[in-house]
Amino acid sequence: MITALAYSTIEAIDRSAWNACFPGELEDWDYYRAVEQAGIADFRWRYLALYEDEVLVAAAVAFTTAYSLDTTVQGPGKRVTEQLRRWWPRLLDVRLYALGSPVAEQCHVGTARQIDPARRPALLEQLLILARNDADQAGIGLLAVKDASHRDPQWLQVCQAAGLQSMPGLPSAELPIRFGSVDAYLGTLGKSTRKDLRRTLRAQGPRIEWRRTVEDLLPHMMALYEATLSRSDLTFERLPSEYFRQVLEYLDERAACVLYWVGDELVAFNLVLLDEQRLVDKFFAHDLTRTREHNLYVRSWLANVDYCIEHGIPIYACGQAGYASKLRLGCSFTGNTVFFRHRNRVLDGLLRLVKMFIRPDRSEPAMAAALSETS
């Protein structure tokens, strides 16, 4: 007998039971607890759980928010949607219930280790039904799955079988670390890229500092964060300072902030999650004028690659943005699919038309190229 429950706090679910459903995940119970405590504005958290004889057998993260349909639109398409907003300010805004998280690159759905793999699709289907029922109770018509990873074909099949519409999501980039030195890594890149990176390494660079606590630097970090956010076309959530503080506190040795100093001036920082298997680049914020002078993005990239090589970490997971640079830097890409369905048939049909114009691969050539190389 399966009991399906939805909670507003992850503290309602046993930590070890939750983590057993997501073995090896850096974005585990502690990470989502930190996110919950951070108080990110305009989001409400939901945690879906299936119990069998009071034992957690499947779980998923979800959230509710007011969503702008043009969030992932860039380039000429963004100018069109901005004009539409001037005419009808709330035309593209809808209430959304989504499985996944705004601060995770893929939708985390998991089942307990003791579950027969043959049962997993049925449990995932029950999680999707639980999400639809939870959304109905909240009065939300639009149900979505944010970034279902192509590494989980069972989850993709369950979403498709449920009749959800689909469109490409932002692909996840990663760099497999198969080299013994940074110089060996550079040797795998194209000639012009290799030349540019070696020129950067020869120049005087900023001082790099790895820290696990940043309380004294948070005001400076948030100024860099806000400046970086203002330049982004892909803004979904706005992180408060508590996010950085809580992630570093709750994940302890599995999170770090990499600081970049020019003299006594903090010019960039990079929040990363890490363990023996991967280093995850969560957010890079920087002073644009200093970036041009010191090539800070490339400095940060090479520092992370070097850290992975030195500590034997086999995967550098580097996010869902900057695809033109990541193609040049030798990344591989894993596809993500966004699924959605509105319970109102008329609105669902309208969304079927709208998705033709808001697909991310139609707004940025580099993203389309990354999608074409997804595994």
Side-chain angles (χ1 to χ4, degrees):
M1 178 69 177
I2 296 292
T3 302
L5 298 172
Y7 302 102
S8 60
T9 174
I10 200 168
E11 290 186 338
I13 302 173
D14 179 76
R15 178 179 181 271
S16 59
W18 177 278
N19 287 343
C21 291
F22 303 95
E25 282 289 349
L26 274 166
E27 293 170 335
D28 61 358
W29 191 97
D30 296 307
Y31 178 73
Y32 286 114
R33 176 74 172 93
V35 170
E36 184 182 316
Q37 289 295 301
I40 302 173
D42 303 323
F43 291 90
R44 297 292 180 269
W45 313 115
R46 307 296 291 167
Y47 306 93
L48 310 181
L50 302 181
Y51 293 92
E52 188 172 55
D53 298 327
E54 299 185 353
V55 176
L56 184 69
V57 293
V61 176
F63 65 93
T64 67
T65 190
Y67 180 66
S68 298
L69 294 175
D70 61 339
T71 293
T72 59
V73 177
Q74 299 183 70
K78 194 70 170 182
R79 291 192 287 273
V80 171
T81 60
E82 287 173 349
Q83 182 60 53
L84 288 173
R85 286 188 177 281
R86 283 191 284 270
W87 293 337
W88 299 290
R90 300 188 64 82
L91 176 67
L92 299 174
D93 296 339
V94 295
R95 290 188 70 200
L96 170 70
Y97 185 111
L99 287 96
S101 171
V103 287
E105 289 185 22
Q106 68 181 64
C107 175
H108 285 142
V109 289
T111 53
R113 297 175 187 175
Q114 72 269 21
I115 294 298
D116 183 342
R119 294 185 58 198
R120 188 171 185 267
L123 292 173
L124 297 182
E125 181 182 1
Q126 287 183 272
L127 283 173
L128 198 56
I129 293 170
L130 173 57
R132 178 69 272 177
N133 292 338
D134 198 35
D136 287 344
Q137 289 185 10
I140 299 175
L142 180 59
L143 174 70
V145 176
K146 175 186 174 291
D147 294 333
S149 174
H150 291 191
R151 287 178 172 162
D152 190 350
Q154 285 186 333
W155 181 223
L156 298 176
Q157 291 164 7
V158 166
C159 293
Q160 291 166 349
L164 275 66
Q165 299 185 53
S166 65
M167 61 181 285
L170 303 179
S172 299
E174 66 180 31
L175 180 69
I177 305 298
R178 305 187 180 113
F179 357 87
S181 67
V182 170
D183 192 61
Y185 161 61
L186 297 181
T188 68
L189 305 178
K191 182 178 179 180
S192 62
T193 301
R194 182 168 64 247
K195 183 178 179 180
D196 289 344
L197 267 59
R198 283 181 171 154
R199 184 186 303 114
T200 296
L201 287 174
R202 285 195 299 269
Q204 179 67 38
R207 176 170 59 89
I208 301 175
E209 179 186 9
W210 286 67
R211 285 178 54 169
R212 253 78 187 196
T213 59
V214 292
E215 190 75 27
D216 55 322
L217 297 174
L218 277 174
H220 302 288
M221 290 171 54
M222 292 311 296
L224 291 171
Y225 171 79
E226 292 294 338
T228 302
L229 201 66
S230 69
R231 299 190 295 269
S232 173
D233 289 330
L234 296 175
T235 302
F236 186 24
E237 75 290 337
R238 183 175 293 274
L239 301 174
S241 60
E242 277 297 308
Y243 170 81
F244 300 99
R245 180 189 289 112
Q246 295 288 343
V247 167
L248 290 169
E249 177 181 345
Y250 275 92
L251 273 73
D252 195 23
E253 294 299 308
R254 295 179 295 128
C257 201
V258 192
L259 308 174
Y260 293 83
W261 300 90
V262 173
D264 294 329
E265 180 186 3
L266 181 66
V267 295
F269 74 87
N270 187 199
L271 178 70
V272 299
L273 309 183
L274 65 162
D275 60 13
E276 296 83 4
Q277 298 302 315
R278 64 184 60 80
L279 184 148
V280 180
D281 188 336
K282 291 301 294 181
F283 196 86
F284 178 69
H286 57 106
D287 180 326
L288 185 60
T289 58
R290 293 296 199 169
T291 295
R292 291 167 178 161
E293 181 181 355
H294 296 282
N295 211 352
L296 293 174
Y297 178 77
V298 168
R299 290 281 184 184
S300 172
W301 181 274
L302 292 173
N304 289 343
V305 171
D306 185 50
Y307 187 94
C308 289
I309 293 171
E310 181 181 350
H311 292 83
I313 299 173
I315 294 293
Y316 172 24
C318 39
Q320 292 176 292
Y323 294 104
S325 296
K326 287 168 185 172
L327 285 163
R328 293 175 64 238
L329 292 167
C331 288
S332 59
F333 300 90
T334 299
N336 294 302
T337 294
V338 173
F339 292 96
F340 60 93
R341 186 175 186 178
H342 203 290
R343 65 185 175 192
N344 182 299
R345 291 186 178 181
V346 174
L347 293 178
D348 195 56
L350 179 61
L351 289 173
R352 188 182 299 274
L353 295 175
V354 169
K355 78 173 184 179
M356 302 304 295
F357 301 95
I358 64 173
R359 288 171 53 121
D361 55 327
R362 295 186 176 177
S363 58
E364 184 189 352
M367 191 183 302
L371 281 167
S372 71
E373 297 190 13
T374 54
S375 56

